[in-house]
Amino acid sequence: MTDPTADLLPIGLEDRLPASARALTRARRAALDAMDAHGYDRVIPPLIEFEKSMATRMSGVATRRMFRFVDPASLRTLALRSDITVQVGRIAATSMAGAPRPLRLCYAGEVAVIASDQLDPARERLQIGAELIGSDSAAAAAEIVVLAIEALSAAGATGISVDFTLPDLVDTLAASALPIAADRIDDVRRELDAKDAGALKAAGGESYLPLLYAAGPFDDAVSRLAEIDAGGALASRIAGLKDIAARVGDKARVTLDPAERHGFQYQSWFGFTLYAEGVRGTLGRGGTYRAGGDEPATGFSLYIDPLVDALGGAPQGDLLFLPLGHDPEVAARLRAIGWRTLQALDAEEDPRRLGCTHVLDAGETRPAWGRVSPFRQA
Amino acid sequence: MTDPTADLLPIGLEDRLPASARALTRARRAALDAMDAHGYDRVIPPLIEFEKSMATRMSGVATRRMFRFVDPASLRTLALRSDITVQVGRIAATSMAGAPRPLRLCYAGEVAVIASDQLDPARERLQIGAELIGSDSAAAAAEIVVLAIEALSAAGATGISVDFTLPDLVDTLAASALPIAADRIDDVRRELDAKDAGALKAAGGESYLPLLYAAGPFDDAVSRLAEIDAGGALASRIAGLKDIAARVGDKARVTLDPAERHGFQYQSWFGFTLYAEGVRGTLGRGGTYRAGGDEPATGFSLYIDPLVDALGGAPQGDLLFLPLGHDPEVAARLRAIGWRTLQALDAEEDPRRLGCTHVLDAGETRPAWGRVSPFRQA
């Protein structure tokens, strides 16, 4: 080691050491198991694809944020995936085009971006999610929201809250109850998103002002939204939201921010964001959208790294020291009933220094602390 | 979808669809659990590192085979990992430099190379392995060989065989019992590796000819090797091999090919290759080496994709259809005791078409085949 900088990792990339890796491994498995229990089949797409394939499947994926390189085999540009949803959409539209709908798929894997954003310096994250392909009904959305909560909860989150939104709200209202000139729609949408009442008025969106106040705890907010919706253009959406909220029940706190569009540029009628107590920022997002082959779909993605960091490292639990000359059959039987073992390589090793909590002593397990072990006295 | 080529994956990269993804997930977990049970702590390094860091840690990693790109943040070259061993070596030498030795670490993750080799067209593989850092003794090697066999066996391999080799054999003999001119050592090594008796003689390695016949089932081969070792320069290595073979016992068939160097350019005194019945090619390799901070170390890497492919997809098992209006509490209780459920989104769905084996009917589970379900008759 002559170059100490060779040890450093690039910014936004890091190692998970044992306690943290153990916590992440458990959370990841638990989330996958929760999705599996609800009939979602895991698929495992590759880390790398053609840039074009990643880019055309869903307009939400900005290829300039991906790690890209020329493939010497095809001379085409490849990209390291930044989002697994796009890959699952591709699978649903191609290899699994003939599978019955609705198709329930889930995934877990690393994604990376070349440039991090200001809120989150990480350039690599674990993405875990589920996609229900073939339906974007309120029933599908309710299933997906409840599943996202269960998966997050299985991964260790508590005090979960879900914020609902209606991503195409302005388009819907502009075409009916609250008409605005086509060339002002983008402005109105932007100022609503920025929650800037003055700028919203200036942009010609005065009639949209009440939407700024139709946000907060679900029951109140959805009532205010219904009041705004004089023409009933939102009636089916409001009914859908109520249906979903009812299905969530007391599994999470539900809020509504109907005009929130940040992060939902590619969702259709429904979107949601997940939060948990003690974790800064969002833990995941989901909603209804059009998947790969233009099928209606509903899904979510979780990014559990901040949750795992907030929960802290997982304890290693008991570790049983196997001294030199131990009976390997006894050791195998002890592992079979759940003991984690560590075997001596030489006679000088100190079980406690190696982190062992117990030692195998004449075929019996006993705590490593306390009196000096008889086999060490020999 | 206007461009059908957008659906194709680059050569050497592929999706795992449900049955295959399920099989891989189980095999991966089982291998990780086997290593964990033996006191190996998992670490999770990032997908991407500085090229220089990957290259300098172990001379075995050819950076020209890696996917590389310039980091806009540091303006340095980054590389997508092609080998996790190097990363574990870095962790052991830096963040975990102060952890007690021997340090037992394990890992599982995807690795990728830009160009595949002729024998294996895959450009992305799952690498699973363990490293015992701080020792390269025969006891350490025995622990690692046995652990590799157990991990492979947990992943579903049967009829496992292990081929031992002595990577620095020629150097050792050239310096003692079978002297050869320094400028001929490389030639002798190459022809031994090629198992070409004529070329070996021509290269001045006539005295090495018997090594070509000291290969095969372990007991016979090691006896022949001992006969060649007139000066006793290999005595400690031969004793080590016997020790390791004894510890393997009947867990695997053991063979010896002492002059085999292919794939072991960076190992020190001991190397091994793993095979399993019904799977073409090697499933993994391991041996003794020098880790990151020049510490003695022993480890192995498994590449289980071909094993999973040979075993075929895993069955999905039972799947319980939950009709509209089912009691979610009952469903949750059934999941808690192991049922995998799939809930109806509308009243028209056919449980069998969706792959369900059972249906929940008036709070009871019953097979989905046979008579038409009463709730479908309604």
Side-chain angles (χ1 to χ4, degrees):
Chain A
M1 283 313 305
T2 52
D3 178 6
T5 66
D7 295 334
L8 300 175
L9 285 172
I11 193 162
L13 295 164
E14 53 185 41
D15 295 316
R16 285 201 177 268
L17 301 183
S20 156
R22 193 178 296 122
L24 184 73
T25 300
R26 287 184 190 163
R28 173 184 168 139
R29 286 188 183 191
L32 273 169
D33 288 347
M35 300 187 293
D36 182 75
H38 285 270
Y40 284 73
D41 284 323
R42 185 175 181 188
V43 288
I44 307 180
L47 289 176
I48 297 161
E49 294 209 16
F50 288 124
E51 176 194 24
K52 201 173 170 184
S53 171
M54 299 269 213
T56 53
R57 283 275 163 202
M58 192 194 270
S59 42
V61 177
T63 58
R64 68 191 155 71
R65 289 194 68 214
M66 293 185 195
F67 284 104
R68 284 170 294 172
F69 21 74
V70 173
D71 180 10
S74 63
L75 299 179
R76 291 173 60 185
T77 304
L78 304 182
L80 183 56
R81 67 179 176 206
S82 63
D83 179 19
I84 301 176
T85 305
V86 189
Q87 298 186 295
V88 175
R90 175 182 55 71
I91 290 172
T94 57
S95 321
M96 300 192 74
R101 265 47 176 174
L103 179 62
R104 288 169 172 87
L105 299 176
C106 69
Y107 59 86
E110 285 79 19
V111 294
V113 288
I114 200 162
S116 58
D117 63 36
Q118 285 174 315
L119 288 171
D120 180 5
R123 293 201 280 177
E124 181 178 328
R125 302 194 288 177
L126 174 62
Q127 183 182 5
I128 297 179
E131 310 296 333
L132 200 167
I133 291 148
S135 178
D136 61 358
S137 67
E143 173 169 324
I144 280 292
V145 171
V146 171
L147 182 61
I149 294 167
E150 284 198 22
L152 207 48
S153 169
T158 51
I160 298 173
S161 59
V162 198
D163 193 28
F164 291 175
T165 186
L166 292 173
D168 66 357
L169 178 71
V170 173
D171 299 279
T172 308
L173 289 176
S176 58
L178 305 176
I180 32 175
D183 63 347
R184 307 306 294 269
I185 292 183
D186 282 346
D187 294 339
V188 167
R189 218 170 5 216
R190 190 184 58 245
E191 302 308 342
L192 257 179
D193 215 16
K195 305 201 179 1
D196 183 334
L200 181 58
K201 242 166 123 172
E206 192 165 356
S207 59
Y208 284 74
L209 277 173
L211 283 177
L212 293 181
Y213 309 102
F218 183 76
D219 292 339
D220 283 0
V222 82
S223 301
R224 283 197 295 275
L225 181 64
E227 285 163 24
I228 296 165
D229 183 37
L234 299 178
S236 69
R237 283 171 170 72
I238 290 172
L241 291 178
K242 286 180 171 173
D243 189 8
I244 303 166
R247 285 276 300 278
V248 171
D250 57 5
K251 293 184 182 72
R253 199 171 70 94
V254 181
T255 56
L256 174 66
D257 187 354
E260 175 70 36
R261 284 191 74 250
H262 182 74
F264 295 100
Q265 289 83 347
Y266 314 98
Q267 263 71 26
S268 54
W269 74 272
F270 172 69
F272 65 100
T273 311
L274 294 153
Y275 302 89
E277 225 166 67
V279 186
R280 276 178 68 177
T282 64
L283 282 172
R285 280 208 175 78
T288 57
Y289 65 99
R290 292 267 147 185
D294 206 32
E295 279 188 280
T298 316
F300 67 85
S301 297
L302 305 178
Y303 299 92
I304 64 168
D305 289 289
L307 171 66
V308 170
D309 293 337
L311 293 173
Q316 75 156 18
D318 288 342
L319 183 58
L320 175 68
F321 184 77
L322 306 173
L324 279 192
H326 70 272
D327 181 345
E329 298 290 327
V330 170
R333 277 203 299 276
L334 289 168
R335 279 191 299 273
I337 61 164
W339 280 95
R340 195 168 177 241
T341 64
L342 188 149
Q343 73 183 355
L345 292 181
D346 63 57
E348 298 308 307
E349 286 178 308
D350 175 354
R352 281 166 292 191
R353 202 185 59 86
L354 293 173
C356 295
T357 56
H358 292 71
V359 294
L360 184 66
D361 187 3
E364 302 283 324
T365 61
R366 61 163 186 76
W369 48 82
R371 65 193 173 82
V372 176
S373 149
F375 70 83
R376 300 262 312 150
Q377 287 174 325
Chain B
M1 281 313 306
T2 52
D3 178 7
T5 66
D7 295 334
L8 300 175
L9 284 173
I11 193 163
L13 295 164
E14 54 185 41
D15 296 315
R16 283 200 178 269
L17 301 183
S20 154
R22 193 178 295 122
L24 184 72
T25 300
R26 286 183 191 164
R28 174 185 169 140
R29 286 188 183 191
L32 274 170
D33 288 347
M35 299 187 293
D36 182 75
H38 285 270
Y40 285 72
D41 284 321
R42 185 174 181 189
V43 288
I44 307 179
L47 290 176
I48 297 161
E49 294 210 16
F50 288 124
E51 176 194 23
K52 200 172 170 182
S53 172
M54 299 269 215
T56 54
R57 283 275 164 202
M58 193 194 268
S59 43
V61 178
T63 59
R64 69 191 155 69
R65 290 193 68 215
M66 293 186 196
F67 283 105
R68 285 170 293 172
F69 21 73
V70 173
D71 181 10
S74 63
L75 299 178
R76 292 173 60 186
T77 304
L78 304 182
L80 183 56
R81 68 181 177 205
S82 62
D83 179 19
I84 300 176
T85 305
V86 189
Q87 299 186 294
V88 175
R90 175 182 54 69
I91 291 172
T94 57
S95 320
M96 300 193 74
R101 264 48 177 176
L103 179 62
R104 287 170 172 88
L105 299 176
C106 70
Y107 59 84
E110 285 80 19
V111 294
V113 288
I114 200 162
S116 57
D117 61 37
Q118 284 174 314
L119 288 170
D120 180 5
R123 293 202 281 177
E124 181 179 328
R125 301 193 289 176
L126 174 62
Q127 183 182 6
I128 297 179
E131 310 296 332
L132 200 169
I133 291 151
S135 179
D136 62 359
S137 67
E143 173 170 323
I144 280 293
V145 171
V146 171
L147 182 61
I149 295 167
E150 284 199 20
L152 207 49
S153 168
T158 51
I160 297 173
S161 59
V162 197
D163 192 29
F164 290 175
T165 184
L166 291 172
D168 65 358
L169 178 71
V170 173
D171 298 278
T172 307
L173 289 176
S176 58
L178 305 176
I180 31 176
D183 63 347
R184 308 305 294 270
I185 292 183
D186 282 346
D187 294 338
V188 168
R189 218 169 6 216
R190 190 185 57 245
E191 303 309 341
L192 257 181
D193 214 16
K195 306 203 178 0
D196 183 336
L200 182 59
K201 241 165 127 173
E206 192 166 356
S207 59
Y208 284 74
L209 277 173
L211 283 178
L212 293 182
Y213 309 101
F218 183 77
D219 291 339
D220 282 359
V222 82
S223 302
R224 283 196 296 274
L225 181 63
E227 285 163 23
I228 298 165
D229 183 36
L234 299 178
S236 69
R237 284 171 169 70
I238 289 173
L241 291 178
K242 287 181 171 172
D243 190 5
I244 302 166
R247 285 276 300 280
V248 171
D250 56 5
K251 294 183 181 73
R253 199 172 70 93
V254 181
T255 56
L256 174 66
D257 187 356
E260 175 70 36
R261 284 190 75 250
H262 182 74
F264 295 100
Q265 290 82 348
Y266 314 99
Q267 262 72 27
S268 55
W269 75 272
F270 174 69
F272 64 100
T273 310
L274 295 152
Y275 302 88
E277 226 166 67
V279 186
R280 275 179 67 177
T282 64
L283 282 172
R285 281 209 174 79
T288 58
Y289 65 99
R290 292 269 148 184
D294 205 34
E295 279 188 279
T298 315
F300 67 85
S301 297
L302 305 178
Y303 299 92
I304 63 168
D305 289 288
L307 171 66
V308 170
D309 293 338
L311 292 173
Q316 74 156 17
D318 288 342
L319 183 59
L320 175 67
F321 185 77
L322 306 173
L324 279 192
H326 71 272
D327 181 345
E329 298 289 327
V330 171
R333 277 203 299 275
L334 290 168
R335 279 190 298 273
I337 60 165
W339 281 96
R340 196 169 177 242
T341 64
L342 188 149
Q343 73 183 355
L345 291 181
D346 63 58
E348 298 308 306
E349 287 178 308
D350 175 354
R352 280 167 292 191
R353 203 186 56 86
L354 293 172
C356 293
T357 56
H358 291 73
V359 293
L360 184 66
D361 187 4
E364 303 285 323
T365 61
R366 61 164 186 77
W369 47 82
R371 66 192 173 85
V372 176
S373 149
F375 69 84
R376 298 263 311 151
Q377 286 173 326

